[in-house]
Amino acid sequence: TAGSEEKCRVAESIGAERAINYRTEDFVDVMRGVGRADLILDMVGGAYIQRDIRALKNDGRLVFIAFLGGPKAEVNFVEVMTRRLHITGSTLRPQSDAAKAEIAAALKAQVWPLLEAGKIAPVMDQEFVLADAAKAHEALEADHIGKIVLKV
């Protein structure tokens, strides 16, 4: 999901089968219309949690990666049980240094070669020299698509 038609077009241009503008479409209705989702990565939480559950396929997975809308919600667990849904979450902050080192090693082995080969790439918006850090912060606060980078 994205908050503008331009962001949806960018997502589709880099491989998304279907982007949903959450300002003009209900992602639950869209997902139900196409057979529902196998996996939802949710960084909003809150009121979206029960809606995520309705958008999942049977045996689907819901993974929380942040809670911008809050960590609490009223959830109908009968639907979770009868449809065999899997709910989990992940964040790096509480991980041990050893666990973070394992993740970094796996990224180096599995993801970096794809980046180096040009098979995957981050979407870039703008790059700023360190002296222009204030301008970079202004760009972050403005509507943008992709990463904003400080070059040190």
Side-chain angles (χ1 to χ4, degrees):
T1 62
S4 73
E5 291 304 318
E6 182 182 10
K7 289 179 180 181
C8 286
R9 283 193 302 277
V10 169
E12 289 171 343
S13 76
I14 61 173
E17 291 178 24
R18 169 74 155 83
I20 301 166
N21 182 339
Y22 61 79
R23 297 181 196 276
T24 60
E25 297 181 280
D26 181 345
F27 80 93
V28 176
D29 291 341
V30 172
M31 292 313 303
R32 286 178 136 180
V34 297
R36 300 188 186 197
D38 293 307
L39 168 67
I40 295 175
L41 296 176
D42 184 320
M43 58 187 301
V44 178
Y48 275 75
I49 296 171
Q50 184 61 45
R51 299 181 76 233
D52 291 339
I53 289 169
R54 289 197 316 266
L56 281 171
K57 284 182 180 177
N58 290 350
D59 299 303
R61 293 178 294 149
L62 173 56
V63 181
F64 293 103
I65 56 175
F67 288 115
L68 299 174
K72 297 181 180 181
E74 186 170 317
V75 175
N76 179 352
F77 277 97
V78 170
E79 191 169 3
V80 173
M81 292 166 58
T82 59
R83 296 182 46 229
R84 301 168 311 280
L85 303 179
H86 304 265
I87 300 175
T88 189
S90 183
T91 184
L92 283 175
R93 189 167 290 146
Q95 301 275 345
S96 68
D97 289 344
K100 290 176 187 175
E102 268 186 52
I103 292 167
L107 280 169
K108 184 176 181 182
Q110 298 173 23
V111 177
W112 263 231
L114 298 174
L115 286 164
E116 289 169 351
K119 293 183 178 181
I120 63 171
V123 175
M124 302 301 291
D125 186 278
Q126 295 180 68
E127 181 178 290
F128 295 89
V129 296
L130 187 57
D132 289 333
K135 289 180 185 175
H137 277 277
E138 289 174 13
L140 279 171
E141 292 173 10
D143 193 31
H144 67 282
I145 299 173
K147 300 298 178 189
I148 294 175
V149 176
L150 277 178
K151 186 174 183 180
V152 180

